[in-house]
Amino acid sequence: METLWSDFLNSEWHDWKGSGYSEDRLGQEKWQTYYLNQWQLKAQVPADDETVGVMRQFRSRLHDMSVRCAAGATLAAEDVDELNRMLDLGPVKRKAKLEGGELGIGLTPVREDWHQVMAEVAASFLRSLIDGEGNRIRICDNPDCRWVFYDDTRNRTKKYCDDKMCGNLMKVRRFRAKKKQEQNKAGRKIPSRTSESAESHK
Ligand SMILES: [Zn+2]
């Protein structure tokens, strides 16, 4: 499941197909416009360099927290301090609301800038931990991808960001590795010249 906070983290993009190419999309106008539209937030595009710098720092801290939560740890006191610093950047207005006979409190962002966006990211991360569970945070099992996501499946066994993409790719890699191992084993039993010619077919 994509959340406001994981989408923010994944602005640091890695080519899941394994080319080794990475792209930091946070400073890109295209990504900024996409992100604001996707989560219905408002801020200036393009964000100024200083703000992008602060966002990168926060993203790095949040990524570190996510990796630790994914490994089963809980947040430390300094993590909570960092999240509070971000929450302070974006105040909200409270409003009572009645939706379908159900009473609730709505929170509306007060500011329309990237500081408010960071506060919303911090709040969204906390909501995932409080309403959900930290150990449902996953880093895609494809080492080239490292996409961060929240596993909302019932049996909580989601290993890949996308089973059709990374899941299939890793299946193919495992299959090839197994085949290579079998070939190597077979190669040892027969004379080396035959083994060499078998290798050259790949
Ligand atoms: Zn992936």
Side-chain angles (χ1 to χ4, degrees):
M1 184 177 75
E2 195 70 285
T3 58
L4 203 147
W5 64 267
S6 57
D7 201 12
F8 180 76
L9 286 184
N10 290 324
S11 59
E12 190 160 24
W13 183 85
H14 308 283
D15 182 12
W16 58 278
K17 285 178 182 158
S19 70
Y21 178 69
S22 291
E23 195 176 85
D24 185 352
R25 297 176 167 170
L26 195 68
Q28 295 174 1
E29 229 176 288
K30 195 178 150 198
W31 182 86
Q32 292 169 8
T33 306
Y34 149 79
Y35 190 77
L36 294 173
N37 287 338
Q38 175 73 10
W39 302 101
Q40 297 175 329
L41 293 162
K42 285 186 181 129
Q44 186 199 310
V45 176
D48 64 77
D49 291 350
E50 199 191 325
T51 308
V52 170
V54 176
M55 287 202 282
R56 282 202 180 113
Q57 256 174 9
F58 174 50
R59 184 183 61 185
S60 158
R61 289 291 302 270
L62 194 65
H63 189 268
D64 179 51
M65 290 180 214
S66 305
V67 170
R68 279 188 277 121
C69 286
T74 46
L75 293 189
E78 55 263 35
D79 299 326
V80 175
D81 289 346
E82 169 75 7
L83 290 168
N84 274 333
R85 262 197 299 280
M86 291 301 139
L87 289 173
D88 277 346
L89 297 175
V92 286
K93 249 193 289 191
R94 279 184 290 269
K95 207 172 179 185
K97 57 178 186 180
L98 202 56
E99 271 172 8
E102 192 102 15
L103 193 62
I105 298 179
L107 301 174
T108 320
V110 172
R111 294 166 55 158
E112 294 186 341
D113 57 22
W114 288 102
H115 286 103
Q116 182 81 49
V117 171
M118 281 187 276
E120 297 303 320
V121 169
S124 155
F125 181 66
L126 279 163
R127 264 195 302 270
S128 282
L129 296 186
I130 296 163
D131 301 339
E133 290 150 83
N135 58 15
R136 281 182 181 265
I137 293 175
R138 306 266 182 275
I139 316 290
C140 179
D141 226 29
N142 171 5
D144 291 316
C145 174
R146 289 175 275 159
W147 190 268
V148 183
F149 63 97
Y150 186 81
D151 182 6
D152 61 343
T153 60
R154 216 157 56 122
N155 53 9
R156 42 171 86 203
T157 51
K158 197 167 157 62
K159 282 166 78 178
Y160 302 106
C161 65
D162 190 314
D163 287 337
K164 287 196 186 75
M165 293 157 88
C166 284
N168 270 343
L169 184 85
M170 293 303 279
K171 210 189 278 177
V172 170
R173 275 190 200 164
R174 275 197 304 273
F175 177 74
R176 282 194 189 139
K178 204 177 148 198
K179 216 170 147 189
K180 199 175 170 189
Q181 217 178 16
E182 279 168 7
Q183 273 176 353
N184 287 347
K185 260 190 216 159
R188 261 183 249 127
K189 285 176 200 149
I190 45 180
S192 60
R193 273 196 66 169
T194 322
S195 151
E196 266 165 29
S197 64
E199 285 288 305
S200 68
H201 283 298
K202 272 186 281 166

